[in-house]
Amino acid sequence: KGQIMMQSFFRNYLDNLKEFHDEIRKAVQGLPQTALDWDPGPEMNSVNVLVVHLAGAERYWIGDVINGEPSGRDRESEFLVQGLSAEDLFQRLSEIESYIEKALETFALQELDAKRISPRNGREVSVGWALCHALKHTSLHVGHIQIVRQLWEQQTR
């Protein structure tokens, strides 16, 4: 009886997010530690940085912005991360999935137009915009992670 029923829109949202996370898991699987910390060139990021950053961004947009639950996120430090193992990254993805699932269970479609303020820059956004932005941002970085893996494999042949 205590089970909360998530509205189908939010279930679909979570399914899309988990599909992106599964793509990340596939791209990370089997990479050595040096590959996870390798950045392919100037203005490019390592797999470790990209995963930590996108998980931080998902938590920020859904937790900090939409739910008003401060995470204490240090965005700049996400770009300095090194030394995490594939298991560490998978754990981060699982933790953020659990957090987002719990958050989405509390959301209602009527709230999609509700306004929120981004604590980082004071910008006003709707709940719907913040959700879409988080998903778009994740998809962008999934592609980056896949490309970093391809570049790693090319240069190690």
Side-chain angles (χ1 to χ4, degrees), residues 7-62:
Q7 289 184 302
S8 65
F9 172 84
F10 298 107
R11 170 61 53 203
N12 293 333
Y13 182 93
L14 183 64
D15 290 346
N16 272 281
L17 191 75
K18 285 182 174 182
E19 285 175 29
F20 286 137
H21 287 183
D22 286 344
E23 288 296 318
I24 294 168
R25 289 178 180 99
K26 250 189 278 182
V28 168
Q29 193 66 48
L31 285 176
Q33 184 63 53
T34 49
L36 298 176
D37 284 327
W38 178 71
D39 64 87
E43 303 299 311
M44 299 177 86
N45 294 299
S46 70
V47 169
N48 267 329
V49 164
L50 290 165
V51 174
V52 168
H53 172 65
L54 72 82
E58 289 172 2
R59 172 59 177 85
Y60 174 80
W61 286 107
I62 293 169

Side-chain angles (χ1 to χ4, degrees), residues 88-99:
D88 294 330
L89 297 177
F90 297 161
Q91 179 66 33
R92 282 212 188 209
L93 292 172
S94 294
E95 287 170 3
I96 193 62
E97 284 172 6
S98 294
Y99 177 85

